[in-house]
Amino acid sequence: MSVSAADRAEILDVIGRADAAATSRDARAYANLFTDDAVLDGTQGRHAGSAALLDSVGPIWAAEGPASLHLTLNPVVDPGDGPDEAIVHSILLIIDPAQPITIRTAASITQTVRRQGGAWRISRRSVAAASQPS
Protein backbone atom coordinates (compact mmCIF):
# COMPACT_ATOMS: atom_id res chain seq x y z
CA MET A 1 0.00 0.00 0.00
CA SER A 2 1.24 3.51 -0.73
CA VAL A 3 0.53 6.93 0.73
CA SER A 4 -1.52 9.14 -1.61
CA ALA A 5 -0.10 12.42 -2.85
CA ALA A 6 -2.80 14.34 -0.94
CA ASP A 7 -2.02 12.50 2.31
CA ARG A 8 1.71 12.96 1.75
CA ALA A 9 1.20 16.73 1.36
CA GLU A 10 -0.89 16.90 4.54
CA ILE A 11 1.68 14.85 6.47
CA LEU A 12 4.56 17.06 5.32
CA ASP A 13 2.51 20.12 6.32
CA VAL A 14 2.18 18.74 9.86
CA ILE A 15 5.95 18.13 10.01
CA GLY A 16 6.63 21.68 8.76
CA ARG A 17 4.21 23.15 11.30
CA ALA A 18 5.99 21.23 14.08
CA ASP A 19 9.29 22.81 12.98
CA ALA A 20 7.68 26.26 12.89
CA ALA A 21 6.21 25.80 16.38
CA ALA A 22 9.57 24.62 17.74
CA THR A 23 11.35 27.56 16.13
CA SER A 24 8.86 30.04 17.63
CA ARG A 25 8.89 28.16 20.97
CA ASP A 26 5.10 27.71 20.85
CA ALA A 27 4.60 24.62 23.00
CA ARG A 28 0.80 24.66 22.69
CA ALA A 29 0.87 24.79 18.87
CA TYR A 30 3.51 22.06 18.86
CA ALA A 31 1.54 19.77 21.20
CA ASN A 32 -1.64 20.30 19.16
CA LEU A 33 0.07 18.55 16.23
CA PHE A 34 0.36 15.33 18.27
CA THR A 35 -2.19 12.70 19.24
CA ASP A 36 -3.31 12.62 22.89
CA ASP A 37 -1.32 9.43 23.46
CA ALA A 38 1.79 10.59 21.60
CA VAL A 39 5.31 9.65 22.63
CA LEU A 40 8.37 11.85 22.17
CA ASP A 41 11.54 9.91 22.83
CA GLY A 42 15.23 9.93 22.19
CA THR A 43 18.19 11.99 23.23
CA GLN A 44 16.18 14.13 25.71
CA GLY A 45 14.33 11.27 27.43
CA ARG A 46 10.88 9.77 26.95
CA HIS A 47 7.73 11.86 27.26
CA ALA A 48 4.35 10.14 26.86
CA GLY A 49 0.96 11.84 26.56
CA SER A 50 -0.15 15.39 25.82
CA ALA A 51 0.60 16.84 29.27
CA ALA A 52 4.13 15.38 29.39
CA LEU A 53 4.82 16.57 25.86
CA LEU A 54 3.63 20.07 26.66
CA ASP A 55 5.76 20.18 29.83
CA SER A 56 8.90 18.74 28.23
CA VAL A 57 9.42 20.84 25.10
CA GLY A 58 10.08 24.15 26.87
CA PRO A 59 13.18 22.91 28.71
CA ILE A 60 14.36 21.02 25.61
CA TRP A 61 14.13 24.17 23.49
CA ALA A 62 15.70 26.30 26.24
CA ALA A 63 18.77 24.04 26.11
CA GLU A 64 19.17 25.07 22.45
CA GLY A 65 19.85 28.66 23.47
CA PRO A 66 17.81 31.84 23.12
CA ALA A 67 16.96 31.24 19.45
CA SER A 68 17.14 28.35 17.04
CA LEU A 69 15.74 27.44 13.66
CA HIS A 70 14.37 23.91 13.18
CA LEU A 71 14.65 22.54 9.64
CA THR A 72 13.49 19.11 8.47
CA LEU A 73 15.48 17.81 5.52
CA ASN A 74 14.76 15.03 3.05
CA PRO A 75 11.54 13.67 4.60
CA VAL A 76 10.58 10.26 3.22
CA VAL A 77 6.97 9.19 3.84
CA ASP A 78 6.35 5.43 3.89
CA PRO A 79 3.12 3.52 4.55
CA GLY A 80 2.52 2.49 8.14
CA ASP A 81 0.73 -0.56 9.51
CA GLY A 82 -2.69 0.54 8.26
CA PRO A 83 -4.40 2.98 5.87
CA ASP A 84 -4.47 5.72 8.52
CA GLU A 85 -0.80 5.49 9.51
CA ALA A 86 2.48 6.52 7.90
CA ILE A 87 6.13 6.63 8.91
CA VAL A 88 8.28 9.69 8.15
CA HIS A 89 12.08 9.44 8.19
CA SER A 90 14.07 12.68 8.03
CA ILE A 91 17.06 14.64 9.25
CA LEU A 92 16.47 17.59 11.58
CA LEU A 93 18.96 20.44 11.60
CA ILE A 94 18.88 22.86 14.50
CA ILE A 95 20.48 26.08 13.35
CA ASP A 96 21.77 29.05 15.35
CA PRO A 97 20.44 31.97 13.27
CA ALA A 98 22.95 34.52 14.64
CA GLN A 99 25.73 35.56 12.28
CA PRO A 100 27.66 33.59 11.35
CA ILE A 101 24.91 31.00 10.99
CA THR A 102 25.98 27.67 12.46
CA ILE A 103 24.51 24.20 12.79
CA ARG A 104 23.99 23.40 16.46
CA THR A 105 23.04 19.79 15.89
CA ALA A 106 21.69 17.28 13.42
CA ALA A 107 19.40 14.43 14.39
CA SER A 108 17.79 11.49 12.68
CA ILE A 109 14.02 11.68 13.18
CA THR A 110 11.48 8.89 12.77
CA GLN A 111 7.86 9.91 13.18
CA THR A 112 4.73 7.82 13.11
CA VAL A 113 1.71 9.82 12.02
CA ARG A 114 -1.95 8.77 12.28
CA ARG A 115 -5.07 10.19 10.76
CA GLN A 116 -7.58 11.02 13.50
CA GLY A 117 -10.85 12.82 12.88
CA GLY A 118 -9.80 13.56 9.31
CA ALA A 119 -6.47 15.18 10.26
CA TRP A 120 -2.95 13.77 10.40
CA ARG A 121 -1.24 13.98 13.80
CA ILE A 122 2.13 12.79 15.09
CA SER A 123 1.73 9.78 17.37
CA ARG A 124 5.44 9.08 17.93
CA ARG A 125 8.54 11.18 17.36
CA SER A 126 11.84 9.42 17.95
CA VAL A 127 15.05 11.44 17.94
CA ALA A 128 18.48 9.84 17.46
CA ALA A 129 21.93 11.20 16.76
CA ALA A 130 22.42 11.58 13.03
CA SER A 131 24.58 8.78 11.69
CA GLN A 132 27.97 9.62 10.28
CA PRO A 133 28.99 8.30 6.86
CA SER A 134 31.52 5.46 6.99
Side-chain angles (χ1 to χ4, degrees):
M1 175 177 284
S2 64
V3 179
S4 74
D7 284 337
R8 188 177 305 272
E10 289 178 31
I11 290 165
L12 293 176
D13 183 63
V14 169
I15 303 303
R17 289 178 185 279
D19 283 349
T23 295
S24 66
R25 308 291 208 261
D26 187 340
R28 177 73 53 203
Y30 187 80
N32 285 340
L33 297 168
F34 287 75
T35 61
D36 289 340
D37 62 346
V39 173
L40 171 63
D41 63 356
T43 58
Q44 300 293 323
R46 184 177 189 281
H47 314 280
S50 295
L53 180 68
L54 194 57
D55 290 343
S56 68
V57 293
I60 291 170
W61 296 335
E64 296 172 6
S68 61
L69 178 61
H70 292 230
L71 302 171
T72 293
L73 303 178
N74 304 328
V76 175
V77 181
D78 291 317
D81 291 336
D84 291 329
E85 185 176 280
I87 309 296
V88 182
H89 300 279
S90 61
I91 297 297
L92 175 68
L93 290 184
I94 299 178
I95 306 290
D96 182 341
Q99 295 295 326
I101 294 173
T102 56
I103 297 173
R104 284 202 180 125
T105 192
S108 176
I109 308 292
T110 301
Q111 296 178 100
T112 302
V113 293
R114 283 196 320 245
R115 185 180 7 237
Q116 287 187 327
W120 287 96
R121 295 285 180 257
I122 301 165
S123 61
R124 181 174 205 104
R125 180 176 170 95
S126 297
V127 180
S131 60
Q132 298 295 321
S134 306

